[in-house]
């Protein structure tokens, strides 16, 4: 991805409902990947390359770490798109994505 343009790293914490949907999906990564791709395309008006990995915290909460291809001026919209994909938190949103 670095060869094709600017990138940004991200961490995305999921809300309880989205975490349950990811866990129940036949392909957890596929389900979440489609959801992230759809939200990023809606927010930025283009296909956004990205990758992610799952991690489980010590208390059992599922979240993801990854990178996406976006310029600095696209990052606020990308962050909102990631929050929507993760099931936007009602409180403390700045810690979600």
């Amino acid at each position: 991805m670095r060869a094709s343009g600017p990138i940004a790293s991200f961490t995305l914490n999921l809300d309880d409902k989205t975490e349950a949907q990811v866990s129940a999906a036949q392909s957890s990564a596929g389900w979440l990947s489609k959801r992230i791709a759809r939200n990023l395309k809606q927010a930025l008006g283009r296909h956004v390359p990205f990758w992610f990995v799952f991690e489980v915290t010590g208390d059992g909460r599922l979240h993801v770490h990854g990178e996406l291809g976006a310029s600095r001026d696209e990052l606020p919209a990308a962050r909102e798109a990631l929050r929507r994909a993760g099931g936007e938190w009602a409180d403390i949103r700045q810690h979600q994505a």
Side-chain angles (χ1 to χ4, degrees), residues 19-28:
E19 183 176 348
Q21 290 173 312
V22 167
S23 296
Q26 186 172 359
S27 169
S28 297

Side-chain angles (χ1 to χ4, degrees), residues 1-22:
M1 279 182 28
R2 286 187 172 110
S4 65
I7 60 168
S9 60
F10 69 89
T11 298
L12 177 61
N13 294 294
L14 310 175
D15 74 351
D16 292 338
K17 180 181 175 185
T18 304
E19 183 176 348
Q21 290 173 312
V22 167

Side-chain angles (χ1 to χ4, degrees), residues 11-14 79 83 89 91-97:
T11 298
L12 177 61
N13 294 294
L14 310 175
R79 186 175 188 189
R83 286 198 318 242
W89 290 0
D91 298 317
I92 316 172
R93 290 184 184 147
Q94 67 271 21
H95 296 298
Q96 186 182 6

Side-chain angles (χ1 to χ4, degrees), residues 30-80:
W31 187 90
L32 186 58
S33 181
K34 288 176 186 173
R35 187 171 166 118
I36 291 172
R38 182 177 59 250
N39 279 281
L40 286 170
K41 186 170 185 173
Q42 287 173 348
L44 301 181
R46 64 177 179 86
H47 167 76
V48 178
F50 66 92
W51 65 266
F52 66 86
V53 296
F54 288 106
E55 183 177 19
V56 179
T57 63
D59 64 354
R61 299 264 324 155
L62 182 68
H63 65 283
V64 298
H65 298 282
E67 291 181 325
L68 56 87
S71 64
R72 184 174 295 272
D73 61 325
E74 292 175 310
L75 293 181
R79 186 175 188 189
E80 286 183 34

